[in-house]
Amino acid sequence: MRDYLEGWVDVRDVDIPPVEQKGFAEPVIIREHVEPLASRPPQEPEEDEEATVLLRREPEMHVFVKRLKTGETKEFTGDEMVLGKGADCEWQIEGNPTVSRHHARIRKTPEGYLLEDMQSLNHTFLGEEQVTGAVRLIKESRFTLSDETFEFIIEIR
């Protein structure tokens, strides 16, 4: 294995003149120029070392909606998610009689994720504003169906 500290000396073993400029909290050591990695020729591994292979993995975006009252979370996997108490909704909201059968819809579009109220009786709100058309959701947006708050979550893995 390589000794990466080869050539380095402990700071206590070096006579460093004090720097008389403002802004320096510690002694400054000026070392020789080191060429950036991008401009160095690739190094061959030593005999006892095996070369490291870099795996290219594309990051994946995962989208979730979290019901803050219960902590329940649903992953958004399709192009549309209807939230409401109806049995045919992608997320059936139980235990809240003020939520309509088809209360709101989240749609995936080329421009991002859009939240729409589906003519619910008790309305949908993004922050404090009532949703009257399609509004864009961003990471950590909070929206309310009637009197219950949800959070829009985006994770990159």
Side-chain angles (χ1 to χ4, degrees):
M1 182 160 190
R2 292 186 190 126
D3 182 9
Y4 290 102
L5 299 177
E6 184 180 320
W8 288 87
V9 179
D10 190 292
V11 70
R12 293 176 294 237
D13 297 337
V14 178
D15 182 33
I16 302 171
V19 177
E20 298 296 329
Q21 296 179 0
K22 282 186 158 182
F24 291 103
E26 298 179 2
V28 177
I29 300 174
I30 300 174
R31 299 193 51 91
E32 65 186 67
H33 173 74
V34 176
E35 203 58 40
L37 287 176
S39 62
R40 293 185 198 169
Q43 292 182 341
E44 294 296 320
E46 293 184 11
E47 289 182 30
D48 63 335
E49 289 186 22
E50 186 176 323
T52 301
V53 177
L54 176 63
L55 297 176
R56 296 247 181 234
R57 198 176 81 187
E58 294 298 320
E60 295 178 352
M61 185 169 79
H62 294 268
V63 177
F64 302 90
V65 178
K66 182 177 183 178
R67 185 178 182 186
L68 298 184
K69 177 180 176 181
T70 63
E72 183 181 7
T73 303
K74 293 274 188 188
E75 185 167 9
F76 187 104
T77 55
D79 292 330
E80 179 177 288
M81 176 189 281
V82 175
L83 296 93
K85 63 182 175 188
D88 58 340
C89 292
E90 281 73 27
W91 190 349
Q92 188 175 2
I93 308 299
E94 297 175 344
N96 188 336
T98 65
V99 172
S100 297
R101 280 190 293 275
H102 298 107
H103 199 103
R105 170 182 28 236
I106 299 173
R107 290 186 302 119
K108 180 180 179 181
T109 69
E111 293 79 34
Y113 291 87
L114 302 178
L115 173 67
E116 300 171 293
D117 184 77
M118 298 179 72
Q119 298 180 340
S120 64
L121 185 61
N122 291 312
H123 310 294
T124 302
F125 299 86
L126 180 61
E128 299 295 319
E129 298 292 320
Q130 183 176 338
V131 175
T132 56
V135 294
R136 189 164 182 217
L137 293 172
I138 59 172
K139 183 179 181 181
E140 299 176 2
S141 290
R142 289 195 175 195
F143 60 93
T144 305
L145 306 183
S146 178
D147 62 350
E148 191 160 341
T149 305
F150 293 77
E151 183 175 18
F152 184 74
I153 301 168
I154 299 175
E155 291 182 3
I156 306 295
R157 300 181 191 161

